[in-house]
Amino acid sequence: MSRFKGIYWRTFTVTVGMVALTLVLLGASFFSLTYSYIITEKRSELKDRAEIIAQMALDAYAKSGAWLDQRDGIRSMLGVAQRMSGTDFLIYVPQAGAFIGTNTELDNHDVVLPAAMGEKLAKGESYLGTSDLGLYEKPRIVVAVPARVSGSVVIGPVLAIAEPNTMTEMWRAFLGIFGMTAITVLLIAFVASATTAMQQTKPIRDMASAARKFAEGNFDARVHDTGREDEIGELIESFNAMADSLQKTEQQRREFIANISHELKTPMTTIAGYADGILDGVISPEEERQYLSIISDESRRLSRLVRRMLDVSQLQSMDLIKQKAPFDLSESMRRVLVSMEKKITSRGLDVDVEIPDDPVMVLGDNDLLTQVVYNLLENAAKFAAQGSTLFLGLEKKGEKAVVTVRNTGQTIPPEELPLLFERFHKSDRSRSEDKDGVGLGLYIVRTILEQHREKISAVSENGVTTFSFTVQLADETVKSF
């Protein structure tokens, strides 16, 4: 991807472009409004001056009634007005049949009046416009007021003429100020936009870099731009949480592979070793049956391990919410107890049962919850002390049914309890006694209960170990819906 197509440059370009467009629109609007206002004010001012000059000339001429007697005086008056206001004046005198101007140079030229000016003056209206009048090199602002009459004396029309230089200078000053302001604003916009875009894109680039490291198998990368309280901050927190989850999953995967490699290697090594010994003749014919029996046991253990692994994989992909149905948990527990009778009797164990005679209807998968009870009871029987008593109980507590399995044996250390439900976990105590186990029984129990959104707890004190889990009562669940 081109660096100029990234979010940084798009954000930067859009922000600066919007600021520049705003400045242009504001400048154009201000220019249009002020130009119209100033032109109107200038023409109004010239009109007022022309009317004053017309009245003054009329009064001066009316005193003597002779044009020649007042010509120099009127020109002198126009000169004073021109020096005071910076405006040229032309007065038309009907008796002379010519215009008299601010200076004698204007008298020696023919004045060319625009047709629009003639039409306006003929109607007795003032004219506001621009023209060179045949006197100037460039058009100037011209205001003409109609003739003034006093008795038999007529003066006019009177023309007030102003150079546009003052307006040009004003616009130059305005453009200078506007240009400096625009440059300052654009510089501020550049800095602010660049800083903001950098703050927005840096975490995204960091996340992209971390994602590439994840693809390479490095799950230690994190985005460290924390403390933000905006959407980017939420994204960073979510990304880091995802990274922690991925790292934990990767660690569990590696542990799973290591554990399963170990668990598979042991029976396979045993099978291969004894089989090679029989084939090579190292093991005598008299001992062959004994070692074939060991090979058979290890093969079955390997089969159980693979079957349990498949069970775990299947459980994790199941949607038990759709498979839940009401069933009698007490009846299922009685069937488990009957099926375990041989194993329990072989270890000389007694059983204390507290299961209600009436049905206890719960909501869940009957087969899977029955397997939970079976695994817990089998585990309790396996590690119970010879001649001790097992306890299997069921009771209602609020909206839940609580199943309890308890045995008497060795106390499980407190630090060992949280690990009981991990895959392939075997305590040191059990490794010598449980050579047929695969370390997945309690993990399957936890997986099934998590799929049912239920909880299980384990307590071990003074040689008594108790497992308890909950199941949603069917009648209470129906009411809650």
Side-chain angles (χ1 to χ4, degrees):
M1 183 184 70
S2 174
R3 59 178 295 186
F4 295 104
K5 294 182 180 180
I7 295 177
Y8 174 85
W9 286 106
R10 287 203 297 268
T11 304
F12 179 82
T13 303
V14 169
T15 303
V16 173
M18 291 298 295
V19 172
L21 179 61
T22 301
L23 290 175
V24 170
L25 293 177
L26 286 176
S29 300
F30 181 77
F31 178 86
S32 177
L33 291 173
T34 54
Y35 179 82
S36 176
Y37 175 77
I38 291 175
I39 287 294
T40 301
E41 287 295 313
K42 188 67 175 177
R43 289 176 176 175
S44 177
E45 178 185 349
L46 292 178
K47 179 182 177 183
D48 292 339
R49 292 175 181 175
E51 290 178 346
I52 292 173
I53 293 298
Q55 188 61 45
M56 292 175 65
L58 181 64
D59 292 343
Y61 184 62
K63 289 180 180 179
S64 62
W67 158 245
L68 294 177
D69 294 338
Q70 297 300 328
R71 180 179 57 187
D72 293 336
I74 292 176
R75 181 176 286 119
S76 176
M77 177 188 67
L78 295 179
V80 172
Q82 191 274 338
R83 288 190 294 274
M84 292 179 62
S85 62
T87 305
D88 288 335
F89 294 97
L90 287 175
I91 300 178
Y92 182 76
V93 180
Q95 286 80 354
F99 280 92
I100 179 174
T102 305
N103 54 65
T104 56
E105 294 180 359
L106 296 178
D107 295 348
N108 299 325
H109 292 80
D110 293 331
V111 177
V112 180
L113 301 180
M117 180 186 296
E119 294 175 1
K120 286 281 189 179
L121 294 175
K123 297 178 182 179
E125 300 176 357
S126 298
Y127 170 80
L128 307 175
T130 57
S131 175
D132 60 7
L133 301 176
L135 305 174
Y136 304 100
E137 295 180 358
K138 297 180 180 180
R140 299 193 177 190
I141 301 173
V142 178
V143 175
V145 296
R148 294 295 180 91
V149 180
S150 177
S152 61
V153 178
V154 179
I155 290 293
V158 178
L159 280 61
I161 308 159
E163 295 185 9
N165 293 342
T166 54
M167 296 185 63
T168 302
E169 293 175 359
M170 183 192 68
W171 287 120
R172 286 177 180 173
F174 165 74
L175 289 176
I177 295 173
F178 180 78
M180 290 298 297
T181 303
I183 291 173
T184 303
V185 172
L186 285 174
L187 288 175
I188 295 174
F190 289 158
V191 174
S193 177
T195 303
T196 302
M198 182 68 69
Q199 290 177 346
Q200 299 296 328
T201 57
K202 183 180 181 300
I204 298 177
R205 289 198 299 270
D206 292 343
M207 283 185 276
S209 176
R212 286 191 289 270
K213 292 180 181 178
F214 294 164
E216 297 171 358
N218 180 9
F219 293 93
D220 295 328
R222 297 292 185 274
V223 180
H224 300 291
D225 190 6
T226 57
R228 301 178 58 144
E229 297 181 356
D230 54 4
E231 290 81 358
I232 296 294
E234 293 181 4
L235 179 61
I236 292 173
E237 291 181 3
S238 300
F239 183 87
N240 288 337
M242 179 196 68
D244 293 338
S245 178
L246 287 175
Q247 187 175 43
K248 184 177 179 181
T249 301
E250 176 64 13
Q251 182 179 358
Q252 292 176 343
R253 184 186 68 84
R254 292 177 180 176
E255 291 176 355
F256 176 77
I257 292 175
N259 290 332
I260 196 172
S261 297
H262 173 78
E263 295 294 336
L264 290 174
K265 182 175 69 175
T266 301
M268 292 176 68
T269 302
T270 302
I271 293 171
Y274 289 142
D276 290 341
I278 293 173
L279 292 174
D280 295 341
V282 176
I283 298 174
S284 64
E286 294 78 11
E287 296 177 322
E288 283 185 4
R289 185 174 183 81
Q290 175 186 352
Y291 288 104
L292 286 174
S293 177
I294 294 175
I295 291 174
S296 177
D297 291 340
E298 290 297 314
S299 298
R300 289 190 179 90
R301 180 173 174 235
L302 185 61
S303 177
R304 287 196 303 272
L305 175 61
V306 173
R307 188 172 62 252
R308 287 293 181 90
M309 288 172 55
L310 292 175
D311 289 343
V312 170
S313 177
Q314 185 179 14
L315 284 172
Q316 291 176 335
S317 62
M318 292 175 65
D319 186 3
L320 294 182
I321 300 300
K322 296 180 180 179
Q323 300 181 25
K324 286 184 176 182
F327 71 94
D328 184 4
L329 182 58
S330 61
E331 179 62 26
S332 298
M333 293 175 64
R334 292 190 187 95
R335 289 201 304 268
V336 170
L337 193 58
V338 171
S339 67
M340 290 284 298
E341 183 177 0
K342 184 176 180 181
K343 290 185 179 181
I344 294 173
T345 304
S346 65
R347 291 186 57 83
L349 302 175
D350 292 328
V351 180
D352 182 12
V353 180
E354 292 185 6
I355 300 177
D357 295 332
D358 297 330
V360 178
M361 302 301 295
V362 297
L363 189 66
D365 187 289
N366 190 353
D367 293 338
L368 293 178
L369 290 176
T370 299
Q371 183 179 354
V372 169
V373 178
Y374 183 90
N375 287 3
L376 290 176
L377 193 60
E378 181 185 41
N379 186 77
K382 186 184 300 182
F383 298 109
Q386 289 283 347
S388 62
T389 300
L390 295 179
F391 174 81
L392 180 62
L394 173 63
E395 61 178 329
K396 294 182 180 181
K397 287 186 178 180
E399 299 179 354
K400 300 286 185 178
V402 180
V403 178
T404 303
V405 178
R406 183 165 56 241
N407 72 341
T408 301
Q410 296 186 23
T411 302
I412 302 175
E415 64 274 9
E416 196 84 23
L417 289 175
L419 304 176
L420 292 177
F421 301 98
E422 297 296 328
R423 289 175 295 191
F424 300 111
H425 175 75
K426 293 181 181 181
S427 64
D428 294 338
R429 167 178 64 86
S430 66
R431 285 194 181 274
S432 59
E433 300 176 8
D434 182 25
K435 296 185 180 298
D436 293 332
V438 296
L440 286 174
L442 293 181
Y443 177 73
I444 290 175
V445 166
R446 188 188 68 177
T447 302
I448 292 174
L449 292 175
E450 285 181 348
Q451 291 286 69
H452 281 78
R453 298 179 182 176
E454 301 294 347
K455 297 180 180 180
I456 185 170
S457 61
V459 179
S460 184
E461 295 178 349
N462 302 322
V464 178
T465 302
T466 304
F467 290 89
S468 298
F469 68 90
T470 60
V471 184
Q472 182 70 51
L473 291 171
D475 52 343
E476 296 294 340
T477 302
V478 172
K479 290 178 182 179
S480 66
F481 285 105

